[in-house]
Amino acid sequence: STRDVDVVLLPATTALTRLAPPRFLAGTTFQFKQKTRLDEAALRHQLTLAGYAHVSQVVSPGEYAVRGSLIDLFPMGSNVPYRVDLFDNEIDSIRTFDPDTQRSLYPVPEVRLLPGREFPLDDAARTAFRARWRERIEGDPTRSRIYKDIGAGLAGAGIEYYLPLFFDETASVLDHAGAAATVVLH
């Protein structure tokens, strides 16, 4: 198997931060290559589940736009957005573009998309979040802005602190590294 990362250096406090479980990342991370088939409707659905926002013009990470046979994507963790040009159901070309001028820059063979956020925001996830909130937090939940925002499908500032309410269990960086990883403490 191939590895994308050989060494990760991080402070202990960061290593202890709770993260989404690996299965969430595996289910919302995807890639596609030039000259392969692409179902536009399925891609839209996958982007929405991965937390990407549908916009008219892509300018920042976590956004996508569809205009005819062109799909603009700005993956999380990427420095540049990508423009996918379809011919029928096949990817004809993938190019980076400048979000300020919207002009294409250079071709690339493939794009890998990480989730748009650290948690799901579909109906099932929002229902589970609200149920866990009522189980674990005292008081009237309808008086909480975060509770109401999640019910409406909005992820407000500070929502990452409530990550455990989105999942049955959270993970650490070590869970993502896998059993074969070597941990060195300094």
Side-chain angles (χ1 to χ4, degrees), residues 33-129:
K33 300 178 181 182
Q34 187 177 0
K35 302 302 177 196
T36 57
R37 288 181 53 79
L38 181 71
D39 180 336
E40 181 190 324
L43 176 65
R44 282 179 184 237
H45 178 71
Q46 200 168 11
L47 286 167
T48 301
L49 284 179
Y52 282 76
H54 184 251
V55 296
S56 58
Q57 182 173 308
V58 169
V59 293
S60 33
E63 297 179 338
Y64 78 98
V66 180
R67 293 184 318 279
S69 66
L70 293 178
I71 303 171
D72 289 350
L73 306 157
F74 205 146
M76 294 304 286
S78 175
N79 293 325
V80 290
Y82 297 92
R83 180 162 289 147
V84 178
D85 192 359
L86 298 177
F87 182 74
D88 282 335
N89 287 334
E90 185 178 278
I91 298 173
D92 190 45
S93 68
I94 306 171
R95 301 179 69 80
T96 61
F97 71 92
D98 183 326
D100 294 326
T101 65
Q102 295 290 304
R103 298 182 111 181
S104 293
L105 298 174
Y106 54 88
V108 293
E110 66 182 344
V111 173
R112 182 169 181 228
L113 289 142
L114 294 171
R117 55 177 74 93
E118 300 95 341
F119 50 85
L121 205 55
D122 59 349
D123 290 343
R126 293 189 346 251
T127 299
F129 175 96

Side-chain angles (χ1 to χ4, degrees), residues 3-4 35 42 64 66 96 99 127 144 159 168-169 171:
R3 295 181 300 182
D4 291 342
K35 302 302 177 196
Y64 78 98
V66 180
T96 61
T127 299
S144 167
I159 192 62
D168 289 329
E169 58 187 34

